[in-house]
Amino acid sequence: MNIDSITNGIVIDHIKAGKGMELYKFLGLDAYEGSVALIKNVPSKKMGKKDIIKIDSLLDIDLNALGYIDPNITINIIKNEVRTEKYHPELPERITNIIRCKNPRCITSTEQELPHIFKLTDKVGPVYRCLYCETKAQ
Amino acid sequence: MRSVIDILDLSVSEIERLISVANDIIADPKKYSECCRGKKLATLFFEPSTRTRLSFEAAMYELGGNVIGFSESQSSSASKGESVSDTVKVVSYYADIIAMRHPKEGAPLVASLKAGIPVINAGDGGHNHPTQTLADLLTIKREKGTFDGLTVGLCGDLKFGRTVHSLINALSRYNNIKFVCISPDELRLPDYVRHASPQGNNMSFYETKDLEEVIGGLDILYMTRVQRERFFNEADYIRLKDSYILTPEKLKTAKNDLCIMHPLPRVNEISVAIDDDSRACYFKQVMYGKYMRMSLILMLLGITVS
Ligand SMILES: [Zn+2]
């Protein structure tokens, strides 16, 4: 795979330097069979240094969930060597099984099979709270 | 399936409707005495709360319905290994509506997501207790005639007191409410409660440590218990506890139509000498709680009585 150009795929740009691996794992790319490039510490005018992920396919993944990890990243969708979309991920309204509720009084602490769901309660911050006990995510 | 887990699950107009049906039940209880014939309420109390359970059971019996259920001495259902989800799925085949109390926060929400019948949260740990708030709202409405423009004193443990948080949430949807928060520094109202409540028109908060300073301006005085275990040391507790005990002396400058409320049980935070004062409304609150539970059961079962 040529890391400079891809025909059809996704380029996740402006990842905070050092956060690339976290996003890579979050998207489950360690299990992905196709070509993926994780490029670290790329010089950037805006950010000093940044990480970039290039995926050589239009994978069906929930890119907006990335907004929880880093809302400043840029997602580029490439089709036939042309960039057809460029956007920042929105903050997801709900995130499931990405973070865990740490409140020992929460029902999720005793019922292991329950999904850990957090909902966006304030876009400033942003603030996510446990669906069940409303404890703020750290 | 409609459930009530948090007081804010109910809109202002639904609360108006619940109050109006409760008033109608009070005016003519006979009219409602058969309307739940053949219906069953399941009271699932994963921790004991005799007071709340009796209120729900009395409510269902007065509607002509029946009650099944259990009350655990400790949260022993967990030791039996059955999840809340499984329990409510099973109970959904036996009953028409569930009232659930659970020591873990969020358990009734889990139940409502899995049950095939309506779930009423009858208290989940220190989190929510919406039917207590419904009792409080009917008390205020009947005693004051309105929610707008009231000066509401909240006294005692404002940090951990869930009834206070939920009452603030409910009242903040009306106009010109002044909250006067009376507590020791250790038990101040958390900022998140103030910010999380929906901002009504012209809502304001005033904080003080001194009940006597503010009592003369109050329309409502909502007392809560200051618990010993909330303090780091015994000396602080002993020093502070008497400041938040309501006595006839402290009532001297209070309005003649002050409405004194308390979610009960009380320990000593309201002197028994006040019980016969016409301003004491805390036992009426218990009665109104039953009527609001009746009204809520009817609403969730979709039963209307003409
Ligand atoms: Zn939680």
Side-chain angles (χ1 to χ4, degrees):
Chain A
M1 166 179 175
N2 179 346
I3 62 166
D4 293 322
S5 66
I6 44 183
T7 311
N8 290 297
I10 302 163
V11 178
I12 305 169
D13 198 359
H14 302 119
I15 304 168
K16 202 171 160 208
K19 281 265 188 183
M21 187 55 91
E22 192 184 326
L23 257 67
Y24 181 90
K25 285 188 179 148
F26 175 74
L27 290 170
L29 293 172
D30 37 358
Y32 173 57
E33 303 276 332
S35 315
V36 184
L38 166 60
I39 313 161
K40 287 172 62 176
N41 300 320
V42 181
S44 156
K45 268 182 241 147
K46 236 182 9 186
M47 309 171 66
K49 273 185 196 170
K50 63 179 181 180
D51 292 357
I52 303 174
I53 294 173
K54 294 190 177 190
I55 307 165
D56 200 8
S57 147
L58 290 162
L59 275 184
D60 185 19
I61 44 183
D62 181 10
L63 294 166
N64 264 337
L66 292 177
Y68 174 71
I69 297 178
D70 186 352
N72 297 314
I73 61 177
T74 310
I75 294 168
N76 299 281
I77 306 293
I78 316 290
K79 285 180 185 163
N80 297 320
E81 294 181 359
V82 178
R83 184 168 71 195
T84 56
E85 279 180 75
K86 177 187 178 180
Y87 61 93
H88 296 296
E90 296 207 9
L91 286 170
E93 286 296 324
R94 275 184 180 217
I95 46 178
T96 301
N97 290 333
I98 292 167
I99 40 175
R100 295 182 68 80
C101 183
K102 295 203 173 76
N103 174 7
R105 297 176 310 279
C106 180
I107 185 67
T108 56
S109 71
T110 44
E111 303 223 341
Q112 307 298 328
E113 79 288 358
L114 286 173
H116 284 240
I117 302 173
F118 282 75
K119 57 184 179 183
L120 179 64
T121 56
D122 193 345
K123 287 191 176 172
V124 185
V127 179
Y128 282 88
R129 288 186 184 274
C130 174
L131 178 70
Y132 309 101
C133 71
E134 298 176 272
T135 296
K136 209 165 157 179
Q138 279 132 9
Chain B
M1 189 51 60
R2 185 72 197 279
S3 290
V4 172
I5 305 303
D6 185 313
I7 190 68
L8 295 178
D9 291 343
L10 294 162
S11 69
V12 169
S13 65
E14 284 172 324
I15 286 176
E16 288 301 316
R17 212 176 88 217
L18 288 170
I19 288 175
S20 114
V21 170
N23 280 330
D24 198 49
I25 298 171
I26 295 169
D28 188 359
K30 215 160 182 269
K31 195 166 97 183
Y32 291 85
S33 64
E34 295 290 330
C35 63
C36 281
R37 179 69 54 213
K39 301 282 186 192
K40 276 170 284 175
L41 165 74
T43 51
L44 311 184
F45 277 53
F46 292 83
E47 69 174 1
S49 171
T50 309
R51 182 179 303 274
T52 305
R53 188 168 54 86
L54 293 183
S55 180
F56 271 105
E57 296 187 357
M60 194 58 173
Y61 283 125
E62 287 188 32
L63 293 168
N66 289 300
V67 178
I68 57 173
F70 61 80
S71 179
E72 305 279 1
S73 55
Q74 274 301 320
S75 55
S76 64
S77 64
S79 61
K80 283 182 208 136
E82 185 163 68
S83 66
V84 166
S85 306
D86 284 2
T87 305
V88 299
K89 279 184 201 162
V90 169
V91 170
S92 295
Y93 291 112
Y94 302 145
D96 301 283
I97 185 165
I98 290 170
M100 180 174 164
R101 176 99 168 190
H102 200 287
K104 290 287 180 176
E105 300 173 11
L109 176 71
V110 171
S112 72
L113 298 173
K114 300 290 176 178
I117 57 176
V119 175
I120 300 171
N121 183 359
D124 57 338
H127 186 217
N128 278 319
H129 193 6
T131 57
Q132 175 66 52
T133 309
L134 289 175
D136 298 344
L137 292 174
L138 181 61
T139 307
I140 294 172
K141 188 71 181 219
R142 285 185 68 95
E143 293 298 316
K144 294 288 157 197
T146 180
F147 296 117
D148 294 326
L150 294 175
T151 300
V152 181
L154 307 163
C155 180
D157 179 356
L158 308 187
K159 185 174 181 184
F160 299 99
R162 65 176 173 194
T163 52
V164 164
H165 301 171
S166 159
L167 184 62
I168 291 172
N169 276 333
L171 287 178
S172 63
R173 298 190 287 188
Y174 300 94
N175 300 314
N176 304 314
I177 304 260
K178 288 193 195 75
F179 290 107
V180 178
C181 302
I182 307 144
S183 73
D185 280 337
E186 291 87 339
L187 299 176
R188 282 182 52 216
L189 187 73
D191 287 342
Y192 74 85
V193 175
R194 210 176 303 190
H195 296 138
S197 47
Q199 302 293 307
N201 293 326
N202 247 335
M203 181 171 74
S204 68
F205 286 91
Y206 175 77
E207 281 192 309
T208 178
K209 283 181 249 184
D210 186 357
L211 175 58
E212 279 157 289
E213 172 209 329
V214 293
I215 198 165
L218 303 178
D219 300 310
I220 309 276
L221 174 57
Y222 199 100
M223 297 293 295
T224 63
R225 187 145 51 106
V226 174
Q227 287 170 282
R228 190 178 295 253
E229 55 269 30
R230 302 297 190 203
F231 287 87
F232 292 117
N233 66 66
E234 187 76 6
D236 281 347
Y237 171 73
I238 302 220
R239 178 172 53 82
L240 289 165
K241 71 174 171 64
D242 289 348
S243 343
Y244 304 99
I245 292 177
L246 191 61
T247 56
E249 293 71 52
K250 288 195 184 121
L251 271 178
K252 268 182 195 149
T253 57
K255 290 184 184 173
N256 290 329
D257 63 347
L258 172 70
C259 168
I260 304 166
M261 299 173 66
H262 189 295
L264 302 183
R266 75 173 149 183
V267 178
N268 61 351
E269 54 280 3
I270 299 179
S271 153
V272 290
I274 290 173
D275 293 359
D276 294 328
D277 191 306
S278 62
R279 292 169 288 189
C281 295
Y282 31 94
F283 290 110
K284 282 192 223 169
Q285 242 172 302
V286 174
M287 173 180 71
Y288 294 146
K290 181 190 69 183
Y291 290 119
M292 281 304 255
R293 289 180 178 105
M294 290 168 77
S295 183
L296 182 63
I297 290 168
L298 290 177
M299 184 185 108
L300 293 178
L301 289 178
I303 295 172
T304 47
V305 177
S306 50

